[in-house]
Amino acid sequence: MKTLQRKISIPAYFIIIVLLFGLLGVYSVWGQEDVLKGTEAGNAAEAAEVDPFINGVKKVVWWHSMSGENGQVVDRLVTSFNAAHKDIKVEAVFQGSYFDSLTKLKASIGSNLGPTMMQVYDIGTRYMIDSKAITPIQNFVDQDKYDMSQMDEAVLNYYRVANTLYSMPFNTSNPILYYNKDLFKAAGLNPDKPPVLYTDLTQVAKKVTREGVVGAYFGTHSWYMEQLIANQGAELVNLGNGRDGIATEWQLNGEAGVKALTWWKGLIDSKAAIHSAGKSDESKKMFAEGKVAMIFDTTAGLRDILDSVAGKFEVGTGFFPKPAEGVGGVVVSGASNWILNSKSDAEQQAAWAFMKYLSEPEQQAFFHVNTGYFPITEKAYELPIVQDNMKQYPQFKTAIDQHTAAKQNKATQGGVLGVYPEARKLTENAIGQALSGEKKPQEALDAAALAINAKIDEYNKTLK
């Protein structure tokens, strides 16, 4: 199957709009991604009342944020769909990081410059609902009487708000612990028993630390802090994590957050871990070089990590740490696909057909084994391609087991918040201040919460 190049569609007049809104210097949650060069994509249908058919073919423009090898996998899925659906042409257009693409979408709302379908990361859920620019996926599900029983219920629950499924899950992940089994063996540790509790991880980090090797290196991602408190059964925002009403208060500065950051700071102070100067850390590079024994990263990075290690040592994977056995678990992460309501019914239906295709077991299985994201469709696990991959790379099973083990409650369902991206940036600043010793963990998180709550209040006023 031939791999297509991803395209970047940013016409000159669109850039002008972005400049007017002052949004070119945006902050990226995962750092700048390398953009593959491609030809300029065409625009979607100009308006709902204009015939969306071009020579009898419905065109669907899909903005996404899958780069590198993951982007090539997406291209293959699109090519396969287009070959099987002669009346629909999906055009996949890479738009940069999740933060960048959402910023571009915000600038396009109210015009016809936006896509038919949009991949948005999990933390953009509340904004997308509030934007009034989307057609809830629940509408298509109900009209089609589409069988949702095949889908992973915990994944669906993240994207359900007030019993309505607003978007279709696509790429699902969670953070896991990656560790160097060879370094564990050299330190006299059981290479098949990764640490789970804070105290155990600290002890392991100290034991493997020696000249030229440090025990742990965790980047200052807010995502990690959010997962560390969910793993304690604590909620990120009030009102049932923003699911019983519009959230008004950030709660990461509560007991669970302070406990997690205090442990993290202690790990740094013990010299058994490196303090990352920023979220764009080099932990994966140093891990692949054998200089760091343990790192945190998304399960979606598994394939890349295995490739970068290239057999130099055995890579182990384990659950995300917690202070003690409890009722928590990790939160579903990743992204989902949304349909924009500015497009014609025919174009939206074509996008829905593509979404259903992406959700089929065969496509989810292919996506899983080639990326590390775990399937949103349970039947995908039964397919030989997945079972064979698990035998060859048992590391893929860790994220799935962790996901299954998570207790289903409001904490693990995840928070929804209109200013989530902004909250993450402020939280990452606070993590850096605490780990560097500039502020105590409680002080740093309190200051961040104060600033975040002001942004929440400002945002909520726009909804009235």
Side-chain angles (χ1 to χ4, degrees):
M1 189 182 299
K2 186 178 179 181
T3 301
L4 299 180
Q5 280 193 309
R6 283 168 293 124
K7 309 175 185 67
I8 303 177
S9 177
I10 312 177
Y13 49 81
F14 182 79
I15 294 176
I16 293 172
I17 292 174
V18 174
L19 283 168
L20 289 173
F21 278 88
L23 295 171
L24 279 181
V26 293
Y27 165 83
S28 172
V29 170
W30 289 104
Q32 286 295 326
E33 305 274 7
D34 288 333
V35 179
L36 296 181
K37 186 178 180 181
T39 57
E40 183 177 287
N43 294 325
E46 286 298 317
E49 64 269 20
V50 176
D51 186 358
F53 291 86
I54 301 174
N55 297 325
V57 177
K58 294 183 284 292
K59 184 177 179 182
V60 172
V61 175
W62 178 31
W63 284 7
H64 70 85
S65 296
M66 296 283 96
S67 63
E69 292 184 3
N70 289 353
Q72 293 174 23
V73 174
V74 161
D75 287 340
R76 291 177 67 182
L77 287 170
V78 171
T79 300
S80 178
F81 175 84
N82 286 339
H85 297 77
K86 301 302 183 183
D87 62 331
I88 300 172
K89 182 187 177 188
V90 174
E91 187 169 12
V93 186
F94 178 68
Q95 292 289 356
S97 72
Y98 286 133
F99 188 91
D100 295 344
S101 62
L102 185 57
T103 298
K104 293 171 186 175
L105 182 72
K106 289 178 180 180
S108 74
I109 288 176
S111 72
N112 290 312
L113 301 178
T116 319
M117 176 172 145
M118 174 81 179
Q119 181 194 28
V120 178
Y121 57 171
D122 49 334
I123 66 171
T125 297
R126 181 76 261 174
Y127 169 79
M128 292 298 290
I129 294 171
D130 295 338
S131 73
K132 310 297 184 186
I134 57 96
T135 301
I137 294 304
Q138 192 69 51
N139 292 10
F140 300 98
V141 170
D142 293 344
Q143 290 166 10
D144 253 11
K145 294 183 172 55
Y146 183 70
D147 181 14
M148 299 298 290
S149 64
Q150 62 177 308
M151 309 290 285
D152 186 312
E153 190 67 15
V155 175
L156 288 175
N157 279 339
Y158 185 95
Y159 298 104
R160 279 193 187 116
V161 178
N163 296 318
T164 298
L165 182 66
Y166 284 92
S167 60
M168 179 64 88
F170 173 50
N171 53 303
T172 301
S173 63
N174 54 45
I176 56 176
L177 177 75
Y178 291 85
Y179 66 98
N180 184 322
K181 285 192 173 187
D182 291 14
L183 290 178
F184 271 45
K185 290 176 186 176
L189 298 166
N190 186 343
D192 297 318
K193 189 178 180 181
V196 177
L197 303 183
Y198 289 177
T199 52
D200 295 338
L201 195 150
T202 299
Q203 290 174 5
V204 168
K206 290 178 179 178
K207 285 183 178 180
V208 297
T209 297
R210 55 181 170 79
E211 186 177 355
V213 176
V214 68
Y217 186 1
F218 308 139
T220 55
H221 295 292
S222 173
W223 185 45
Y224 297 156
M225 275 295 295
E226 296 158 29
Q227 296 286 357
L228 287 170
I229 71 162
N231 223 4
Q232 299 177 57
E235 296 170 10
L236 183 64
V237 290
N238 66 343
L239 295 178
N241 239 350
R243 295 177 180 279
D244 296 332
I246 302 295
T248 60
E249 185 179 352
W250 183 258
Q251 299 179 158
L252 200 141
N253 60 326
E255 181 182 352
V258 174
K259 180 181 290 186
L261 191 52
T262 300
W263 162 72
W264 193 346
K265 177 65 163 62
L267 194 61
I268 300 293
D269 292 344
S270 74
K271 308 300 182 183
I274 296 175
H275 162 47
S276 170
K279 61 183 299 299
S280 298
D281 60 83
E282 292 187 325
S283 61
K284 283 196 289 188
K285 180 176 181 291
M286 292 184 67
F287 179 75
E289 294 171 348
K291 297 177 181 178
V292 173
M294 294 180 287
I295 63 172
F296 292 155
D297 212 285
T298 170
T299 182
L302 177 54
R303 178 66 68 183
D304 181 55
I305 288 174
L306 291 175
D307 289 345
S308 64
V309 170
K312 292 192 293 288
F313 58 83
E314 189 175 359
V315 176
T317 52
F319 284 16
F320 214 62
K322 54 186 175 182
E325 298 297 335
V327 297
V330 293
V331 180
V332 166
S333 302
S336 60
N337 283 313
W338 300 72
I339 292 178
L340 280 295
N341 61 16
S342 60
K343 306 304 177 182
S344 70
D345 289 342
E347 197 172 336
Q348 292 185 51
Q349 286 293 338
W352 169 237
F354 180 52
M355 283 189 184
K356 290 188 290 185
Y357 174 81
L358 292 177
S359 302
E360 291 173 357
E362 293 77 13
Q363 279 62 255
Q364 280 295 304
F366 173 80
F367 192 64
H368 162 68
V369 301
N370 285 284
T371 63
Y373 288 106
F374 54 85
I376 63 170
T377 306
E378 294 179 351
K379 288 184 179 179
Y381 295 114
E382 301 172 8
L383 299 181
I385 185 177
V386 173
Q387 295 181 356
D388 292 345
N389 187 68
M390 290 288 186
K391 291 175 184 176
Q392 185 176 3
Y393 302 106
Q395 299 96 331
F396 276 84
K397 195 169 184 294
T398 299
I400 298 166
D401 289 343
Q402 181 176 238
H403 171 69
T404 303
K407 306 294 183 183
Q408 293 303 300
N409 52 36
K410 291 290 176 63
T412 58
Q413 192 176 3
V416 285
L417 183 69
V419 294
Y420 212 145
E422 295 90 334
R424 275 196 170 169
K425 184 175 182 180
L426 288 164
T427 297
E428 283 158 4
N429 290 339
I431 295 171
Q433 290 170 342
L435 297 183
S436 67
E438 182 182 341
K439 292 181 179 180
K440 293 181 178 180
Q442 183 75 71
E443 180 188 6
L445 293 177
D446 280 346
L450 187 66
I452 293 167
N453 288 339
K455 289 186 177 295
I456 292 174
D457 183 60
E458 183 180 356
Y459 176 86
N460 288 348
K461 285 178 180 176
T462 67
L463 304 178
K464 297 176 181 178

